[in-house]
Amino acid sequence: MARGLRVTTASRYPSAMPSYKSPRGTRDLLPETRAGFSRLEGIARSLAARYGYREMEIPLFEQAAVFERGIGAATDVVEKELFRIAPRTEDSEAWALRPEATAGIVRAFVQHGMHTWPQPVKLTVVGPMFRYDRPQAGRYRQFWQWDAEAIGDAGPAVDAEVIEMGRRFYVEAGVPDVQVLLNSIGDSACRPAYLATLKAYFADHSAELPELELRRLELNPLRLLDSKDPSMKALIATAPKISDHLCEACEVHFEAVKAHLDAMGVPYRLEPTLVRGLDYYARTSFEFYRQGAEGQQQALGGGGRYDGLVELLGGRATPAIGFALGLDRVLLALAEVGADAAVEVPPLAVVAGADPADTVSRLRVAALLRAEGLSVRVELAPRKLSRQLETASKEHAHFAVIIGDELAEGNVQLKDLEAGTQRLVPLVDLARELARAAKSHRHG
Ligand code: AMP
């Protein structure tokens, strides 16, 4: 209380203000970067539509149990990286920010009885995800994903379709040399025997295992293959491979996935250590990498078949496959190769005026043009006309609409800033004239 009373007037002034920053691991997307994201989101939405995926939204947060159950309590994402929301009252539910979209989409599939819809149900979400990870290059606490899920189709053709759609995203985004890494991780028929073999192998080498990996050996031996510890590299290289332990049904499925990819001309590299350490994952597993960047733990995106998840979240057994592609890393990759992430379009026209003070006329004409769908900036500062036109040229507007005495007779001057020409145009024709020019110049 007493401290509150001692607040001095000085502390209300900017010089005494604390300097606030965006939280660690988050970024403001300034307009240029936002334009890059918008372009990627546009490609994602266009692809989703072309491949028959319907966009939906799920909440940014869910009951924490959706993730604990749906992703698995013994995964990094849940164990270490889940952004839990502090309960507001003692009896309130435990919530967490979504670290990925699959669990939420599947929760929604079950909640809304989508098993009664025509199958498969193909859904897509584009938006931010949250993981309380240690921030570093390409690893943020808030990042963006394009997620697509095909629920209710056991494959293998849909597996190949999903992979091809993901690869096409990178092609259309302009990221060069993106490679598909592909594996099959078996199913509940063949994986248990493989896991026993894998466990026995690592148990034989337990003296060489770092502390963390020893724990994983108990909880989830598949995750040893995922280890980022450099000392594990040699052990992993000689570990038993799931591809040598697939049952016949999984083998047939995998061969068919590959045959469909071959037929579509989608190149891929078989990667026997590519695993997803969760029980509900099955068979097809894939990741997208920039060629040469595979070792950096910097996948651009990944996905797989998760035939057990719908049932795990309370629905009836339903096969499904999907992917999550990280948009932040695509922008980083584009910057790395010097490609334009997005081009911001300048306004088609700037509405300027001979009488600097007459903002009424300028705003009225601008409103007319905007109502016709044209992108115009209106000069509202009371500056000399020459200065107004200078700024218009600098921002690469194609035209200046100059309002002067002619307005009394219903005319304005239309100046082509690129050609340097100028002519009188009746106000009633202005929008049509500009729209025609916009078409031929791809402005606005
Ligand atoms: P995951 O669900 O972990 O397979 O992630 C799918 C994709 O999302 C990854 O391949 C990354 O492109 C992206 N991603 C995952 N975590 C992060 C993060 N912390 N920061 C930026 N992108 C991420």
Side-chain angles (χ1 to χ4, degrees):
M1 287 297 143
R3 209 184 295 153
L5 292 175
R6 262 191 270 129
V7 169
T8 62
T9 42
S11 69
R12 296 208 200 109
Y13 290 98
S15 60
M17 291 280 241
S19 61
Y20 296 114
K21 291 201 176 111
S22 59
R24 200 163 115 80
T26 71
R27 296 170 300 155
D28 298 310
L29 305 182
L30 300 184
E32 204 183 311
T33 313
R34 190 56 183 98
F37 270 85
S38 297
R39 176 177 160 266
L40 295 182
E41 288 166 352
I43 295 169
R45 292 197 166 99
S46 155
L47 281 169
R50 274 180 269 163
Y51 285 71
Y53 286 75
R54 298 167 73 197
E55 191 171 7
M56 69 173 293
E57 293 289 344
I58 46 169
L60 294 185
F61 62 96
E62 298 268 355
Q63 285 173 278
V66 169
F67 306 123
E68 286 158 353
R69 230 180 134 66
I71 301 174
T75 57
D76 279 355
V77 168
V78 168
E79 200 176 43
K80 297 196 229 141
E81 299 166 7
L82 203 57
F83 246 106
R84 293 175 188 278
I85 301 175
R88 299 190 62 105
T89 58
E90 257 175 41
D91 55 355
S92 77
E93 280 176 306
W95 290 318
L97 297 182
R98 63 185 191 190
E100 47 111 82
T102 311
I105 291 176
V106 170
R107 191 264 313 135
F109 179 92
V110 175
Q111 181 176 340
H112 301 285
M114 293 189 210
H115 64 276
T116 62
W117 297 11
Q119 305 286 299
V121 179
K122 292 160 100 179
L123 301 167
T124 184
V125 164
V126 188
M129 309 294 157
F130 305 85
R131 292 183 195 178
Y132 194 78
D133 208 348
R134 193 168 54 82
Q136 50 183 285
R139 197 174 291 282
Y140 307 102
R141 288 182 171 171
Q142 176 176 350
F143 58 98
W144 275 257
Q145 280 186 344
W146 172 32
D147 184 281
E149 312 288 347
I151 308 175
D153 186 332
V158 73
D159 303 28
E161 186 190 40
V162 163
I163 293 169
E164 196 264 334
M165 176 167 77
R167 203 183 100 89
R168 185 151 308 281
F169 173 75
Y170 300 110
V171 171
E172 295 196 3
V175 187
D177 308 324
V178 172
Q179 207 171 36
V180 180
L181 304 190
L182 183 67
N183 195 20
S184 171
I185 56 170
D187 66 4
S188 53
C190 52
R191 201 161 46 209
Y194 168 68
L195 286 181
T197 312
L198 190 68
K199 202 164 177 174
Y201 167 82
F202 281 116
D204 281 349
H205 293 87
S206 60
E208 299 155 59
L209 294 183
E211 186 66 33
L212 174 70
E213 310 302 340
L214 272 174
R215 234 187 99 225
R216 284 179 165 166
L217 182 58
E218 284 317 307
L219 291 173
N220 194 344
L222 254 195
R223 288 192 50 212
L224 288 162
L225 298 177
D226 244 354
S227 171
K228 297 174 177 92
D229 196 315
S231 70
M232 293 288 293
K233 212 171 166 181
L235 265 187
I236 292 170
T238 53
K241 308 217 175 339
I242 180 79
S243 41
D244 299 329
H245 294 77
L246 294 179
C247 58
E248 203 190 328
C250 284
E251 188 80 56
V252 168
H253 186 103
F254 196 33
E255 288 308 313
V257 173
K258 289 187 273 183
H260 282 83
L261 289 174
D262 292 339
M264 286 189 289
V266 177
Y268 52 87
R269 204 183 82 197
L270 297 178
E271 183 52 71
T273 60
L274 177 65
V275 291
R276 307 222 138 208
L278 306 175
D279 287 345
Y280 64 74
Y281 276 110
R283 297 187 171 169
T284 312
S285 189
F286 56 93
E287 275 184 344
F288 299 100
Y289 273 93
R290 289 263 334 271
Q291 210 153 8
E294 296 91 337
Q296 297 166 17
Q297 302 295 336
Q298 290 279 35
L300 290 172
R305 177 160 282 289
Y306 52 90
D307 291 347
L309 183 58
V310 178
E311 201 174 6
L312 198 69
L313 290 182
R316 53 183 73 178
T318 312
I321 186 164
F323 66 50
L325 312 187
L327 302 189
D328 306 71
R329 288 188 192 165
V330 169
L331 284 192
L332 288 173
L334 288 175
E336 240 169 63
V337 298
D340 263 341
V343 181
E344 285 186 84
V345 184
L348 173 66
V350 168
V351 181
D355 173 3
D358 185 9
T359 48
V360 169
S361 300
R362 297 206 285 279
L363 207 49
R364 194 163 61 82
V365 171
L368 271 174
L369 299 175
R370 287 164 173 167
E372 293 299 321
L374 298 170
S375 153
V376 300
R377 186 177 70 77
V378 52
E379 185 61 62
L380 294 177
R383 302 191 294 166
K384 281 202 300 204
L385 179 60
S386 56
R387 294 284 309 282
Q388 298 179 35
L389 295 178
E390 242 172 60
T391 316
S393 292
K394 265 193 208 147
E395 67 188 302
H396 303 292
H398 195 93
F399 293 99
V401 173
I402 305 169
I403 294 165
D405 297 339
E406 309 89 339
L407 191 63
E409 280 89 53
N411 296 318
V412 294
Q413 294 283 350
L414 183 60
K415 187 178 171 78
D416 185 325
L417 293 167
E418 280 174 20
T421 54
Q422 185 168 325
R423 65 199 167 88
L424 203 66
V425 174
L427 194 53
V428 288
D429 296 337
L430 184 63
R432 202 176 334 119
E433 292 253 345
L434 280 172
R436 193 180 316 134
K439 247 189 215 147
S440 55
H441 290 97
R442 289 193 297 129
H443 272 281

